[in-house]
Amino acid sequence: MRGQEHLGWKASLGGFYVIASTAGLLLAFSGGPPLGVTGDFGQPNCTDCHSGNSLNAAGGTFTISGVPAEYVPGNAYPITVAISKSGQSRWGFELAARSVTSGQQAGTLTATNTTNTQVRSSGGIQYISHTGPGTQAGSAQGTWTFNWTAPATAVGAIRFGAAGNAANNNLSNSGDFIYTATVTTDPVSVSQPITALFPQVAVGGGFTTLFTLVNTGIDALSGNLILTNSNGSPMEVALSAPSSLTIPSGGAKFIEAAPVNPTDSTAAGWARVESAGGALGGVATFQFASGGQLASVAGVLSADDTDVATIPVDDDATKGRFTGYAVANHEDNDVNIRIILVDANGVPVGQPMRPSQLNPLRAKNHVARFLFQDLNDPNLKQQGSMVLIADGGRKFAVVALVQNSG
Ligand code: HEC
């Protein structure tokens, strides 16, 4: 134990030297504690020497503030350590910031006020602590502010661990109260670019959707498959593989989305892949099973986003053949979409339509409808095309749906 070593050394010295070396220690300890006593990552704390009162005794406060919930790599953050306990009058602390998983030094600690704080290192770990004047003898509390700069690249969760001393200013290690505290910060969640869009996903009521994701790039790809309900909320499904994916160059991944309970009714929505590296191609296949038998399969290629889309129309109510569209708004802003019906000769029919479902289509929402619903004509017989156009050149993702019950 540190304290015992220290006492043993003191006891071995002659009387004169004890006084002289105690004076030296006075500078050595109150002028900065020994390193490696933060109380975190398995380290001892100041009670190694400042014993006598229980650790974290009631009536005191010891806080680490300014640590962001999520750190941005390379950003600097002012951190404040504060300690108080009524009746006490001299203060000290020691703090380190380390990777939760590796225990390595995380980021950089900098003393912005070198009168009352100092940074020293041991074993590759930086420790910031009080200085002699930094003990703020005679004050009712101790406060220290310094900078922490997040590592240049994210290293996962980082924990700040500190031990503090609410001392009684008797120039010795007796009658002091020791406190410990930790605060953890996580890397900021960075959303990766959308690399595949599936404007229509159906799950439940006999439907499952199978996503086939192929990496045609030369680098490995890593990202996430994200399924979203029509109203923009996360879609609860049972996935056959984890939604976070890595696909090697030339590799493929097959992920089936099934209802959480086999009896769940159909839920529709859309999906996207956000990824980095490689080049993603994807196909979503809707499989309709009735009574355990696969009754039909329909495939939809992953769509690019667009501000104009033309869908061929060959509707005939007498044959039960209807054209529809599935539109997903993958952006963070609302979009307004009008539909222009064009006949087989290329001539617009009537006025542009603005179905309320698409005006607006909220951020991250989805709509699937049939043209006959927009025209309010269940007996529709129409050939030509329908053109979907977003106001202001905004982007959306769309696929054609064809119902053919004949
Ligand atoms: C190895 C033993 C040892 C450890 C560990 C230790 N100290 Fe001390 N500390 C002392 C001694 C001995 C004194 C009295 C002599 C002096 O003031 O330097 C002292 C004095 C102090 C004082 C002034 C006390 C008073 O009442 O005047 C403060 C403040 C202090 N230490 C803070 C800390 C903090 C904070 C830690 C933990 C992060 C710590 N010390 C860890 C040995 C230690």
Side-chain angles (χ1 to χ4, degrees):
M1 294 281 286
R2 260 161 246 271
Q4 282 159 359
E5 268 167 34
H6 161 68
L7 289 173
W9 173 66
K10 217 160 66 167
S12 71
L13 296 167
F16 174 78
Y17 292 101
V18 170
I19 294 161
S21 59
T22 304
L25 283 171
L26 216 134
L27 292 173
F29 285 116
S30 55
L35 303 184
V37 287
T38 61
D40 197 13
F41 287 94
Q43 293 183 339
N45 58 57
C46 325
T47 57
D48 257 15
C49 303
H50 296 268
S51 52
N53 290 311
S54 55
L55 183 66
N56 296 320
T61 61
F62 182 53
T63 55
I64 306 169
S65 55
V67 177
E70 295 186 337
Y71 66 88
V72 176
N75 274 18
Y77 300 90
I79 310 292
T80 298
V81 171
I83 185 167
S84 67
K85 184 174 194 313
S86 72
Q88 300 302 90
S89 54
R90 203 178 174 194
W91 319 93
F93 83 105
E94 180 176 294
L95 172 145
R98 301 169 68 168
S99 152
V100 169
T101 47
S102 72
Q104 301 285 303
Q105 172 67 34
T108 312
L109 294 166
T110 312
T112 46
N113 175 344
T114 51
T115 305
N116 75 6
T117 56
Q118 58 186 325
V119 177
R120 293 168 294 164
S121 295
S122 169
I125 305 295
Q126 285 187 313
Y127 296 94
I128 192 157
S129 68
H130 62 268
T131 57
T135 56
Q136 299 161 55
S139 329
Q141 59 159 30
T143 13
W144 304 269
T145 298
F146 50 89
N147 269 5
W148 175 70
T149 306
T153 52
V155 295
I158 295 171
R159 194 164 67 232
F160 290 71
N165 184 357
N168 59 356
N169 198 13
N170 69 349
L171 310 182
S172 93
N173 53 341
S174 65
D176 302 334
F177 289 84
I178 304 303
Y179 295 87
T180 53
T182 59
V183 177
T184 302
T185 176
D186 289 311
V188 71
S189 39
V190 201
S191 68
Q192 296 170 319
I194 297 176
T195 47
L197 278 167
F198 301 98
Q200 175 73 4
V201 171
V203 170
F207 281 103
T208 59
T209 297
L210 178 70
F211 296 95
T212 305
L213 304 169
V214 184
N215 179 6
T216 58
I218 51 169
D219 300 320
L221 174 148
S222 69
N224 289 290
L225 172 67
I226 302 160
L227 283 83
T228 305
N229 283 321
S230 293
N231 66 4
S233 63
M235 196 169 183
E236 297 278 343
V237 294
L239 288 180
S240 63
S243 59
S244 75
L245 21 112
T246 39
I247 311 177
S249 170
K253 194 124 213 166
F254 304 91
I255 303 180
E256 189 186 39
V260 177
N261 300 304
T263 53
D264 286 352
S265 57
T266 310
W270 63 287
R272 66 188 188 276
V273 175
E274 294 180 352
S275 67
L280 188 63
V283 186
T285 317
F286 311 108
Q287 302 178 311
F288 185 76
S290 76
Q293 298 291 312
L294 189 63
S296 65
V297 176
V300 179
L301 280 167
S302 78
D304 288 330
D305 61 358
T306 181
D307 57 352
V308 180
T310 303
I311 295 175
V313 173
D314 185 11
D315 282 20
D316 189 342
T318 62
K319 301 206 166 95
R321 194 169 65 225
F322 295 109
T323 307
Y325 53 83
V327 176
N329 178 6
H330 57 292
E331 300 278 9
D332 294 324
N333 298 307
D334 294 354
V335 65
N336 287 283
I337 297 170
R338 59 190 187 277
I339 300 176
I340 299 170
L341 190 58
V342 180
D343 71 17
N345 300 317
V347 180
V349 182
Q351 292 298 308
M353 295 178 283
R354 283 198 177 268
S356 61
Q357 292 82 356
L358 292 174
N359 291 275
L361 179 60
R362 299 284 181 205
K364 300 282 185 280
N365 282 23
H366 155 272
V367 163
R369 280 175 70 76
F370 287 100
L371 174 64
F372 81 83
Q373 294 176 300
D374 291 333
L375 291 167
N376 200 10
D377 180 3
N379 302 315
L380 186 66
K381 190 166 163 58
Q382 176 76 40
Q383 276 191 326
S385 61
M386 56 194 291
V387 185
L388 285 74
I389 307 173
D391 291 356
R394 288 207 189 283
K395 302 285 191 187
F396 59 98
V398 59
V399 290
L401 303 175
V402 178
Q403 176 185 304
N404 208 332
S405 50

